[in-house]
Amino acid sequence: MKEVITLIKEQFGNLGIMFRISKYQDKSDYQSHYLGLVWEYLYPIIQIGIYWLVFGFGLKKGTSGGVDYLSWMVIGITPWFYMNSVVLDASKSIYLQVGMVSKMKFPVSVLPTIKVISNLSSFWAMLVVSIFIAFFKGGIVPNMYWIQWIYYFFAMVCWLVAFSIFNSTIAILVRDYRIFLQSLMRMLFYMSGVLFNFETNAFPAPLVRIFQLNPFFYIISGFRESMLGDDWFWQKPILTITFWLFVLFFLLVGSHLHYKFRSRFVDLI
């Protein structure tokens, strides 16, 4: 627990640095492009547009749980795209930057969190487009349940920080882990309820209960419940407690491994 407290202190104590580095990295990533930072917003909008064309006018029509399928799908796919990008980027954040930070006094633990921050721009852009689609295509209007998206956003960030600290450390200790993680995220894309509504009678109840334990599933379904449903997060106490136990587990294990091997990161790479 002492390591977790140290980790949290490093995160909050270096918020200014993290935001500045995140902003610098965004500019450096797109400095050779004609449109520059416009791509930070244009790319996610294009992704949503593709799914709109495929599922809105092509393969899938109808409703999911009484809600227009396209609206249901884009609200869920928005946090997934964000979480998927953060998980994969953060897993190699220390590996790519440890040589630089080893030459200066810099808290390495903030490198994964920087990826959580730097991907927020595309997340906000996708969320706005998703709400726009839900409003005009599905006839969804704001209600009091929308306020709980703040909770799910907070839960998503906490999960990503904890999971990223763990992944970024394991990726250095085990070289093959990043390849495994990429395959895992591809599999979770279909198992996290991004495209399919598992919470229906069409799927076996035991299988649905297993899928619901997935933290990504919890976040995705939570965003949908906030924007499209009529349930509060505390009405699912078991799933909520399970989610936060996952966060605590990866935070404890990840911070322990991080501080145990941090002095050897350069040698391990």
Side-chain angles (χ1 to χ4, degrees):
M1 185 59 70
K2 181 181 178 181
E3 293 159 329
V4 172
I5 295 174
T6 303
L7 180 74
I8 294 174
K9 286 182 178 179
E10 286 187 348
Q11 306 304 306
F12 284 100
N14 293 276
L15 276 176
I17 295 175
M18 287 191 290
F19 277 98
R20 287 196 295 271
I21 293 178
S22 172
K23 185 177 181 180
Y24 170 78
Q25 287 185 345
D26 289 340
K27 290 182 178 180
S28 64
D29 289 341
Y30 296 100
Q31 65 179 353
S32 60
H33 297 72
Y34 287 113
L35 295 180
L37 284 175
V38 174
W39 282 110
E40 188 77 10
Y41 304 94
L42 187 59
Y43 180 66
I45 292 175
I46 292 174
Q47 287 182 304
I48 288 291
I50 292 172
Y51 279 88
W52 186 349
L53 291 174
V54 174
F55 292 96
F57 301 98
L59 299 179
K60 186 78 174 182
K61 293 185 178 180
T63 63
S64 179
V67 178
D68 173 70
Y69 177 79
L70 179 61
S71 304
W72 180 90
M73 188 270 294
V74 295
I75 290 295
I77 209 170
T78 294
W80 167 259
F81 274 142
Y82 172 66
M83 291 188 289
N84 182 66
S85 297
V86 169
V87 168
L88 297 180
D89 290 348
S91 67
K92 55 186 178 181
S93 59
I94 296 179
Y95 178 85
L96 295 177
Q97 301 291 339
V98 71
M100 177 190 71
V101 300
S102 64
K103 301 175 183 178
M104 61 184 73
K105 187 177 180 181
F106 188 86
V108 183
S109 66
V110 306
L111 292 176
T113 309
I114 289 173
K115 297 302 180 180
V116 177
I117 297 173
S118 64
N119 282 280
L120 278 175
S121 298
S122 58
F123 170 75
W124 296 127
M126 292 183 71
L127 185 63
V128 170
V129 175
S130 299
I131 294 174
F132 177 85
I133 292 174
F135 182 79
F136 287 97
K137 181 70 168 60
I140 306 300
V141 295
N143 56 61
M144 63 179 179
Y145 294 98
W146 280 36
I147 194 174
Q148 71 176 337
W149 80 265
I150 299 174
Y151 161 76
Y152 283 108
F153 176 78
F154 174 76
M156 178 175 65
V157 171
C158 290
W159 163 244
L160 289 175
V161 171
F163 197 43
S164 296
I165 289 292
F166 175 84
N167 289 332
S168 60
T169 303
I170 298 297
I172 293 179
L173 301 178
V174 182
R175 293 294 181 89
D176 296 337
Y177 182 74
R178 279 184 294 155
I179 299 176
F180 164 78
L181 186 62
Q182 290 175 347
S183 301
L184 177 64
M185 294 304 291
R186 292 192 189 102
M187 181 177 66
L188 287 175
F189 175 74
Y190 298 100
M191 297 175 59
S192 299
V194 179
L195 299 179
F196 310 108
N197 188 356
F198 292 112
E199 298 175 308
T200 64
N201 296 329
F203 295 90
L207 182 64
V208 173
R209 283 194 288 270
I210 293 174
F211 286 162
Q212 287 177 329
L213 298 178
N214 171 8
F216 293 98
F217 190 105
Y218 178 81
I219 296 298
I220 291 169
S221 63
F223 268 86
R224 284 176 175 146
E225 288 175 359
S226 300
M227 302 296 182
L228 309 172
D230 54 2
D231 291 323
W232 297 103
F233 68 89
W234 57 77
Q235 292 178 282
K236 296 183 177 180
I238 295 178
L239 295 180
T240 298
I241 293 172
T242 301
F243 170 81
W244 287 107
L245 286 176
F246 267 107
V247 173
L248 181 61
F249 171 80
F250 280 100
L251 189 60
L252 287 170
V253 176
S255 59
H256 172 71
L257 293 175
H258 178 87
Y259 288 109
K260 181 178 180 180
F261 293 100
R262 183 155 77 172
S263 61
R264 297 173 51 195
F265 280 167
V266 176
D267 296 332
L268 290 170
I269 293 176

